[in-house]
Amino acid sequence: MSADDFLKHYNKPGFCDNCGEKLVDKDDKFCHSCGKNFESNEMPEENNTKIIIGSIVLIAIIIVGGYFAYSTYQTSEFDKNYKNYMANTLSSYENLKSGNDVYVNEYSSIYTANYIELAINYNNLAIDDLEECKKYAQTSEEKELIELSLNLAKKNEQYLDASYNFWEKASSITYSSNYIWYGASSSDSSQLTDYYNQAEKYSSEVEDLRNNLAEFLDNHPELKERFDM
């Protein structure tokens, strides 16, 4: 045996440098586990195919996993913002109710106006919540829910603005006249009437939009249950 052959024989590794499997014999030309050819340093065609397929499967798993993770995030953000909308809408309604309850006579109209101003602020927050929520809508049902809710919130904004204008104007008349509303000028009375009629009109339209939203939720019980409505 030549010196070169001797070195090749005794320097040959006892483990496969590809898969780490222990060799049966140091003279093995192929790995019995992965099939690597130690003389040519090549992998068998079948093994290369397995590696390619494995890589494709791994990439597919990463893509699918990423999609579901992103979808879950979208749903979470949608639900969070819609629930914020519901909470702010409830606060708006409670302040509107308090404004109506606090009214005793013309002199308390200023307190009614203050409560309605708070209701407007909460309603504006509710609209912001819906605009943010719209970014995360994925299904056609979610998109329709946002559209109906936005229509309702924006119409409610008009109703609250008209109501505030009425009570704020009523308060200014009350505190600037010894005759309260009955001593108001014709222009003031006309303005009060306009605000009142606007509020009545918007109130009716709000009720129609609220019924539309309720009907939609009745037809989509999964959304109704999802948001506990």
Side-chain angles (χ1 to χ4, degrees):
M1 178 184 292
S2 67
D4 288 341
D5 290 338
F6 178 85
L7 290 174
K8 286 181 181 178
H9 178 78
Y10 287 99
N11 288 341
K12 193 167 185 179
F15 297 88
C16 175
D17 60 3
N18 177 62
C19 67
E21 186 71 18
K22 185 175 181 179
L23 303 180
V24 176
D25 190 281
K26 289 188 176 183
D27 290 327
D28 287 343
K29 296 180 179 180
F30 296 91
C31 174
H32 297 285
S33 176
C34 69
K36 179 177 179 179
N37 187 326
F38 296 123
E39 292 186 342
S40 66
N41 204 33
E42 293 179 354
M43 296 293 295
E45 189 67 29
E46 179 184 356
N47 204 52
N48 288 335
T49 303
K50 288 181 180 178
I51 292 175
I52 293 172
I53 293 175
S55 299
I56 293 173
V57 170
L58 179 61
I59 292 171
I61 290 174
I62 292 173
I63 292 173
V64 172
Y67 169 79
F68 280 110
Y70 181 70
S71 179
T72 300
Y73 168 76
Q74 293 279 96
T75 299
S76 174
E77 289 298 303
F78 182 95
D79 289 4
K80 180 186 73 175
N81 284 286
Y82 197 82
K83 288 176 181 177
N84 287 343
Y85 150 74
M86 292 171 61
N88 282 318
T89 297
L90 178 61
S91 296
S92 178
Y93 171 77
E94 288 174 344
N95 277 282
L96 176 63
K97 185 177 183 302
S98 296
N100 292 329
D101 291 344
V102 79
Y103 180 77
V104 177
N105 54 44
E106 291 84 350
Y107 287 103
S108 59
S109 56
I110 183 62
Y111 304 113
T112 299
N114 289 340
Y115 274 113
I116 293 179
E117 187 173 21
L118 287 173
I120 290 172
N121 291 336
Y122 278 112
N123 192 73
N124 288 337
L125 290 175
I127 292 174
D128 290 342
D129 292 328
L130 289 174
E131 293 290 356
E132 186 68 18
C133 197
K134 188 193 296 186
K135 301 176 184 177
Y136 303 102
Q138 301 177 83
T139 66
S140 57
E141 290 80 8
E142 289 176 347
K143 292 175 183 177
E144 188 170 356
L145 175 64
I146 294 302
E147 182 180 356
L148 290 170
S149 300
L150 262 175
N151 289 341
L152 174 58
K154 289 179 178 179
K155 184 59 65 176
N156 197 51
E157 180 182 29
Q158 292 179 306
Y159 164 67
L160 291 172
D161 284 343
S163 298
Y164 174 79
N165 289 336
F166 174 84
W167 291 110
E168 194 276 334
K169 185 66 178 180
S171 173
S172 67
I173 294 173
T174 299
Y175 286 93
S176 64
S177 172
N178 292 328
Y179 299 100
I180 311 181
W181 293 354
Y182 307 107
S185 67
S186 58
S187 62
D188 285 339
S189 298
S190 176
Q191 207 167 24
L192 270 181
T193 301
D194 287 344
Y195 289 145
Y196 178 82
N197 289 338
Q198 286 177 11
E200 286 291 293
K201 173 179 176 290
Y202 293 140
S203 176
S204 176
E205 292 174 354
V206 164
E207 191 61 30
D208 289 340
L209 291 172
R210 187 177 285 120
N211 290 335
N212 289 344
L213 178 59
E215 182 179 357
F216 170 80
L217 289 169
D218 286 340
N219 292 329
H220 296 83
E222 72 284 355
L223 284 175
K224 194 171 184 178
E225 182 179 357
R226 180 171 160 186
F227 296 108
D228 195 23
M229 300 172 77

